[in-house]
Amino acid sequence: AQSVTQPDIHITVSEGASLELRCNYSYGATPYLFWYVQSPGQGLQLLLKYFSGDTLVQGIKGFEAEFKRSQSSFNLRKPSVHWSDAAEYFCAVGAATGGFKTIFGAGTRLFVKA
Amino acid sequence: DAGVTQSPTHLIKTRGQHVTLRCSPISGHKSVSWYQQVLGQGPQFIFQYYEKEERGRGNFPDRFSARQFPNYSSELNVNALLLGDSALYLCASSPNPGNPGELFFGEGSRLTVL
């Protein structure tokens, strides 16, 4: 069965420091992979996606993610975090079997300290 | 351009009642998906509809049902409400259901069951 694991429930980084959020997935075929961000009281916004091709993908707000098939990982990175990046981040895998559905991880809450 | 709109934004129900949640997708999007997000967890897939047909169903009881209308808007119905149904219900539209996961979310309907 498809699944997504985000090992870190929450992470705290200093403003200006680099960020890496971890994501591991389980999926039998080539996955469609996504990162979404959710600010308090709001819906989810797509940061970036991977369907195929270059394994390093660029997204909005200066985020990037790298797909590593050998490690079943799709970690999200940002070189310099801003206070406005504080939010909940969700990794997701799109499954095209048994209908179309997206499976989300439990999320990682990012705190940014001044 | 208007994004995905959901109504109502907040509602309170008592156990045993039923609820109807509504969603209007982004103009031109023909696919609508529904997700349940319990506090502290990632969104859980409930349904996907495309061209008024159910294309995917998550692991939810038959108390949950949905439909899509000719204008591509959608309703989610939940009968015989339980305390555990308290959650944020998110609607998402997609321009292309063939790429599962590329979703545009509304801000959600927060349901409280007392």
Side-chain angles (χ1 to χ4, degrees):
Chain A
Q2 306 91 354
S3 66
V4 176
T5 301
Q6 294 181 247
D8 303 305
I9 297 174
H10 56 79
I11 283 182
T12 301
V13 299
S14 298
E15 191 170 17
S18 63
L19 169 70
E20 183 169 25
L21 301 182
R22 297 183 292 165
C23 172
N24 293 97
Y25 67 90
S26 173
Y27 187 62
T30 300
Y32 298 91
L33 294 165
F34 305 83
W35 276 98
Y36 287 85
V37 60
Q38 185 177 35
S39 297
Q42 297 187 13
L44 284 76
Q45 180 184 22
L46 180 67
L47 283 176
L48 48 78
K49 59 183 183 283
Y50 172 79
F51 288 171
S52 64
D54 193 349
T55 57
L56 184 64
V57 293
Q58 303 296 321
I60 63 172
K61 304 183 180 185
F63 286 92
E64 66 178 25
E66 185 172 13
F67 170 59
K68 293 185 177 180
R69 184 186 300 275
S70 62
Q71 299 177 18
S72 297
S73 69
F74 189 56
N75 294 347
L76 181 71
R77 301 194 293 251
K78 187 171 185 178
S80 178
V81 169
H82 188 263
W83 64 267
S84 61
D85 293 325
E88 186 100 27
Y89 290 81
F90 294 95
C91 181
V93 60
T97 57
F100 300 110
K101 60 183 177 182
T102 300
I103 299 161
F104 287 84
T108 297
R109 169 75 64 179
L110 173 65
F111 297 95
V112 180
K113 59 182 181 180
Chain B
D1 288 340
V4 176
T5 57
Q6 293 186 242
S7 64
T9 55
H10 297 81
L11 67 167
I12 299 173
K13 294 285 187 177
T14 57
R15 282 177 296 175
Q17 287 187 313
H18 74 273
V19 67
T20 298
L21 308 177
R22 295 177 176 83
C23 171
S24 293
I26 291 172
S27 177
H29 288 193
K30 298 180 179 180
S31 176
V32 169
S33 299
W34 287 95
Y35 289 81
Q36 181 196 64
Q37 186 178 20
V38 174
L39 194 63
Q41 297 182 19
Q44 299 293 313
F45 174 75
I46 309 176
F47 289 109
Q48 188 200 34
Y49 276 78
Y50 176 67
E51 291 283 11
K52 297 173 288 181
E53 292 187 3
E54 181 183 302
R55 293 297 188 95
R57 171 184 283 259
N59 187 26
F60 280 81
D62 292 343
R63 298 185 296 109
F64 289 77
S65 63
R67 55 179 176 169
Q68 187 177 33
F69 299 99
N71 65 354
Y72 304 110
S73 67
S74 178
E75 283 183 355
L76 175 70
N77 294 282
V78 187
N79 294 324
L81 286 167
L82 303 174
L83 296 180
D85 295 331
S86 296
L88 180 67
Y89 288 85
L90 295 165
C91 174
S93 71
S94 172
N96 181 0
N99 287 332
E102 189 169 11
L103 301 169
F104 296 80
F105 283 86
E107 296 193 355
S109 294
R110 184 163 297 282
L111 171 65
T112 301
V113 182
L114 302 176

